[in-house]
Amino acid sequence: MEWKGRRESDNVEDRRGGGAVKTGGISILGLVVAFVAWKFFGADPQQAYQVTKQLTTQQQPASSQAIQNPTAEQQEAKQFVSTVLADTEDTWKIIFKQQGLQYTPAKLVLYRQSTPTACGTGQSAMGPFYCPSDRSIYLDTDFFVEMRQQLGISGEKNSTQLSRQDQAGDFAMAYVIAHEVGHHVQNLLGISEKVYAQRQQMSQKQSNQLSVKQELQADCFAGIWAKYNNQRTHFLQQGDVEEAIDAAEKIGDDYLQKRSQGQIVPDSFTHGTSQQRIKWFQQGLHAQDLSACDTFQHT
Ligand SMILES: [Zn+2]
């Protein structure tokens, strides 16, 4: 993925400085819930809210200080995130305009370990997530390191095909951000609010099914973004789409559940199976407009 040299967004807040605290006293249950709900790509806002509420009751104050003297690695992480966020802003602005709408950018907060949000305290164990109440994406950049390790994105790509900029796993990371921005788009379009209201009236099983549809739509929106962003910037390089598909496969609920508990419990899915996630990302990649991402009608 080509990413250097393009505009960087001003909507990134870097809170990685100061005395980030280790959180103590979080219940095992809280951690398990957070793991299942949030491992990679964040959960839907409703769960985010519930889990954070559960976690905030037992933890120490979060750090929210601006970063000082960042390392070269931290600087580069911020540069990458800011460029991808700017890419989502510039591209979604065009897509919204085509629909006669105006795009309002999301904010993105970089933090370490924990930070206050309008949805409760954000914890790095939750993975990246979007809080609709403050229209912000929360991201602990250590997640990217962890993601590379856990998804096995460690190998070098064939360097003869790539420019020196390209790093293994960079597009998978951009896809994570694009998925969260997909939740922001749902928020702007009023979809999140409708889903939230409907889920209040439902059984847990139905509610989980609706959550899957919402998550798959965010994957589809990430695909649409990749397509239109590529038309604008030609940022995709050989192997990038496969990289995102590989990531999508490894973050399906079925895959994660199998790994963590050895069996699959479809009723508890909240993000969708690997196959569903790949299908909807690809659907977005080939879509003409947002209507192709109607996961609520067809899954
Ligand atoms: Zn999500």
Side-chain angles (χ1 to χ4, degrees):
M1 170 183 157
E2 295 272 3
W3 65 272
K4 286 186 179 163
R6 284 202 299 285
R7 184 177 82 81
E8 290 178 36
S9 173
D10 294 329
N11 294 310
V12 175
E13 187 191 333
D14 199 341
R15 290 185 195 166
R16 293 175 294 174
V21 286
K22 284 250 181 232
T23 53
I26 297 168
S27 69
I28 294 296
L29 178 69
L31 279 178
V32 170
V33 173
F35 179 85
V36 173
W38 262 324
K39 198 59 202 165
F40 303 121
F41 279 54
D44 63 283
Q46 192 180 20
Q47 276 177 329
Y49 183 68
Q50 284 168 350
V51 179
T52 42
K53 236 169 82 179
Q54 202 176 350
L55 290 171
T56 41
T57 51
Q58 290 178 318
Q59 66 130 83
Q60 295 165 22
S63 108
S64 57
Q65 290 180 32
I67 191 165
Q68 270 155 25
N69 307 318
T71 64
E73 221 173 31
Q74 285 173 322
Q75 265 173 329
E76 172 144 306
K78 188 188 175 188
Q79 212 188 348
F80 176 79
V81 165
S82 304
T83 306
V84 173
L85 190 66
D87 274 353
T88 67
E89 290 164 357
D90 296 342
T91 295
W92 277 110
K93 195 173 154 186
I94 295 168
I95 301 170
F96 266 54
K97 210 170 172 188
Q98 283 169 358
Q99 315 264 326
L101 300 167
Q102 208 188 347
Y103 182 72
T104 316
K107 233 180 79 176
L108 192 152
V109 178
L110 295 174
Y111 72 99
R112 293 188 66 204
Q113 298 177 355
S114 71
T115 197
T117 86
C119 297
T121 300
Q123 297 277 346
S124 50
M126 300 159 180
F129 66 97
Y130 173 73
C131 172
S133 311
D134 55 19
R135 294 185 166 187
S136 299
I137 295 160
Y138 290 89
L139 188 69
D140 181 331
T141 45
D142 288 346
F143 170 79
F144 286 153
V145 179
E146 197 191 322
M147 182 176 162
R148 273 207 172 105
Q149 290 164 352
Q150 296 211 359
L151 297 184
I153 306 173
S154 55
E156 303 276 305
K157 286 198 258 182
N158 186 345
S159 57
T160 57
Q161 297 166 348
L162 302 165
S163 75
R164 282 210 312 273
Q165 301 193 349
D166 195 69
Q167 279 190 335
D170 53 4
F171 184 64
M173 294 177 218
Y175 171 47
V176 170
I177 298 169
H179 172 95
E180 297 308 331
V181 171
H183 286 310
H184 176 63
V185 169
Q186 290 175 322
N187 194 16
L188 293 179
L189 295 176
I191 295 166
S192 317
E193 206 180 341
K194 260 190 227 162
V195 169
Y196 182 82
Q198 281 178 21
R199 290 182 69 185
Q200 302 306 306
Q201 323 288 326
M202 291 176 161
S203 68
Q204 190 60 47
K205 184 181 161 181
Q206 288 172 317
S207 174
N208 285 348
Q209 284 169 351
L210 202 57
S211 166
V212 167
K213 290 172 195 281
Q214 192 178 6
E215 290 302 323
L216 294 175
Q217 188 175 57
D219 286 334
C220 187
F221 285 169
I224 287 198
W225 167 76
K227 175 190 170 173
Y228 282 90
N229 202 55
N230 197 43
Q231 287 179 0
R232 202 172 58 80
T233 67
H234 308 286
F235 78 129
L236 290 178
Q237 292 174 311
Q238 198 164 353
D240 278 346
V241 170
E242 290 76 9
E243 186 177 288
I245 286 171
D246 185 47
E249 188 189 346
K250 289 176 177 158
I251 51 186
D253 283 331
D254 51 346
Y255 185 94
L256 291 176
Q257 282 189 3
K258 229 191 232 166
R259 261 179 46 150
S260 60
Q261 38 180 274
Q263 55 175 337
I264 300 170
V265 190
D267 283 350
S268 66
F269 288 178
T270 53
H271 277 67
T273 62
S274 297
Q275 214 183 9
Q276 283 174 317
R277 297 198 75 163
I278 292 169
K279 177 191 147 185
W280 283 101
F281 174 64
Q282 284 184 313
Q283 172 100 352
L285 266 181
H286 300 106
Q288 295 305 314
D289 57 53
L290 296 178
S291 65
C293 293
D294 191 354
T295 53
F296 296 94
Q297 294 306 314
H298 345 79
T299 349

